[in-house]
Amino acid sequence: MVRRSCRKHFRPDKPVIALDDLSTQTGRSIQIGYQQIFSGAMMGIRNPKAHSNVQIDAARSLHFIFLASLLMSKIDEAVA
C-alpha cells in the first residue's frame, strides 16, 4: 500500500507532486530517485517502527530526523 502510494504521488508521468522539471531526462531521474527514497523511507524506517517494538538509539534517531528534513525540504521546493 505504501509503495503504491509513493509510486502514484511521485510518478514521472502526471505526478501529484512534481519535484523537478519533468520535461528533461534529469528532472525525470530526480523524480524517480526521490520516489524511490520516499518509498524506501516508508517501508524501511516507518513501517518496522510502527508494526513492532523496534528500539533505536539517539544517533539513529538523529539520522532519521535528517532524512525526514531532507525529504520535507524537497516537498517544499516542489514544482506543483
Side-chain angles (χ1 to χ4, degrees):
M1 181 65 116
V2 169
R3 180 172 269 179
R4 195 172 339 149
S5 179
C6 286
R7 282 193 305 237
K8 174 185 172 187
H9 288 86
F10 297 106
R11 66 185 185 206
D13 60 318
K14 299 182 185 176
V16 173
I17 303 168
L19 300 174
D20 210 279
D21 179 3
L22 300 177
S23 68
T24 68
Q25 183 58 46
T26 298
R28 288 187 297 278
S29 293
I30 289 169
Q31 187 76 16
I32 292 167
Y34 273 95
Q35 176 190 44
Q36 293 171 348
I37 294 170
F38 272 98
S39 180
M42 291 298 292
M43 294 184 72
I45 297 170
R46 184 221 170 255
N47 281 355
K49 186 69 177 148
H51 296 292
S52 64
N53 191 16
V54 175
Q55 299 296 318
I56 57 174
D57 61 21
R60 180 55 52 112
S61 296
L62 284 174
H63 292 148
F64 291 162
I65 291 169
F66 291 144
L67 176 60
S69 177
L70 168 71
L71 295 175
M72 293 302 101
S73 69
K74 191 62 179 174
I75 292 287
D76 288 342
E77 299 169 359
V79 175

